[in-house]
Amino acid sequence: MKTHTLETPGADLVHDVRGPLPTADGRPPLLMIGQPMDAGGFAALSARFPDRTVVTYDPRGLGRSTRKDGRTDHTPETQADDVHAVIGALGAGPVEMFASSGGAVTALAVVAKYPADVTVLVAHEPPLITLTPDGPAAVRARAGVLEAYEKRGWGAGMAAFVAMTSWEGEFTEEYFAQPEADPAAFGMPTEDDGSRDDPLLSDRSWAISSYRPDADAIAAAPTRVVIAVGEESTNVQTGRTSVATAELLGQRVTVFPSHHGGFLDGEFGYPGKPDEFGQRLREVLDGAS
């Protein structure tokens, strides 16, 4: 693996390349992106593609990529510009792309704005909460996570986030009537370290979850776009946002093994099924439905 830093006016973007460029077999490189997950989250999945040149990167302001633009918010449009710059720096033509969570939102923005950059995109569980039928209630639930974080710190905020993302079905008054989630019940710290800059729990990434993809631009692009959902996510928020995103694009979701982090090994807790996930991704990239 070789690590590179691409200097742009707004950020220094660190990316890792596993394998040769140009690729040994002439196939496009496989770029894996997340948000707020950085390159470190794709180690297990990358290892399932030893025959491919795999590229991972840290989004600006996350991991090793430092910002120079004086901002702290994360927007799909800015992230799309960064991904476009990284793809250009690879000098290997368009890429195949696997994108997860907020990275899937960025990837949809890339296809809309830079349609020649990506030959096939597998967008796994984009958390586009305003696209679901209960969008206003989902926005209210998201605000509840921020409130818990602002009032009581990271542990409380993360407990509220887990409660929100594990809730099954639409956000009803029953959801909002629940007592505040207890961080100790989830094995999370109860003390407040005073920080309020977490990209997942603060409002810094609300532009990502509030984004509405340009369906017309995506349809006009030459990119084959696949919206993927984990088989265990069917009734929870990211499963429902995946279905809503697919419907916006005039398609049906493609089912993958496991859950929202189904490609992860046990390195972050709550492991997925990386072997099965990697095999399914390989099949879908090769054209299987």
Side-chain angles (χ1 to χ4, degrees):
M1 185 178 76
K2 294 183 179 179
T3 298
H4 307 269
T5 300
L6 173 63
E7 296 184 8
T8 73
D12 292 340
L13 304 172
V14 178
H15 54 287
D16 303 313
V17 181
R18 297 170 172 83
L21 285 175
T23 61
D25 58 2
R27 186 167 180 174
L30 174 56
L31 175 60
M32 300 180 179
I33 66 173
Q35 174 78 20
M37 178 179 285
D38 60 26
F42 294 102
L45 187 57
S46 297
R48 270 69 184 178
F49 289 85
D51 56 321
R52 298 287 305 272
T53 294
V54 177
V55 181
T56 55
Y57 100 118
D58 293 352
R60 66 169 59 197
L62 300 171
R64 301 159 295 174
S65 292
T66 56
R67 300 188 78 147
K68 300 181 291 189
D69 59 358
R71 301 176 67 95
T72 59
D73 60 328
H74 302 282
T75 68
E77 295 84 359
T78 300
Q79 303 286 5
D81 292 341
D82 287 347
V83 172
H84 172 68
V86 170
I87 292 172
L90 297 176
V95 300
E96 295 181 5
M97 187 181 295
F98 171 74
S100 181
S101 195
V105 179
T106 294
L108 292 170
V110 171
V111 172
K113 190 172 183 179
Y114 303 105
D117 278 2
V118 185
T119 59
V120 55
L121 164 64
V122 179
H124 181 249
E125 300 201 6
L128 298 171
I129 66 173
T130 64
L131 299 186
T132 59
D134 62 329
V139 169
R140 180 183 170 192
R142 181 182 66 181
V145 173
L146 175 63
E147 181 181 8
Y149 179 53
E150 291 286 355
K151 286 171 55 178
R152 297 189 289 132
W154 185 89
M158 185 57 71
F161 179 78
V162 171
M164 179 184 72
T165 54
S166 61
W167 178 262
E168 295 195 358
E170 296 191 352
F171 292 104
T172 62
E173 287 306 317
E174 181 183 358
Y175 171 83
F176 295 107
Q178 296 180 111
E180 291 184 341
D182 178 9
F186 295 99
M188 296 169 185
T190 56
E191 67 275 7
D192 184 353
D193 66 3
S195 65
R196 294 295 185 273
D197 57 358
D198 188 279
L200 187 65
L201 304 178
S202 68
D203 59 358
R204 296 183 175 190
S205 297
W206 280 15
I208 293 172
S209 52
S210 294
Y211 181 69
R212 185 177 182 88
D214 187 336
D216 291 338
I218 292 171
T223 310
R224 177 167 64 91
V225 176
V226 177
I227 305 299
V229 65
E231 61 187 356
E232 297 175 29
S233 300
T234 304
N235 295 320
V236 298
Q237 186 179 45
T238 54
R240 296 190 302 112
T241 60
S242 300
V243 170
T245 304
E247 290 177 347
L248 177 70
L249 302 181
Q251 58 176 267
R252 299 174 65 89
V253 290
T254 297
V255 178
F256 270 61
S258 199
H259 47 69
H260 190 64
F263 52 90
L264 297 173
D265 226 328
E267 64 270 49
F268 299 107
Y270 195 35
K273 298 177 180 178
D275 288 335
E276 296 92 332
F277 196 102
Q279 181 57 39
R280 180 63 169 145
L281 177 57
R282 187 179 293 273
E283 293 168 355
V284 172
L285 289 172
D286 287 344
S289 60

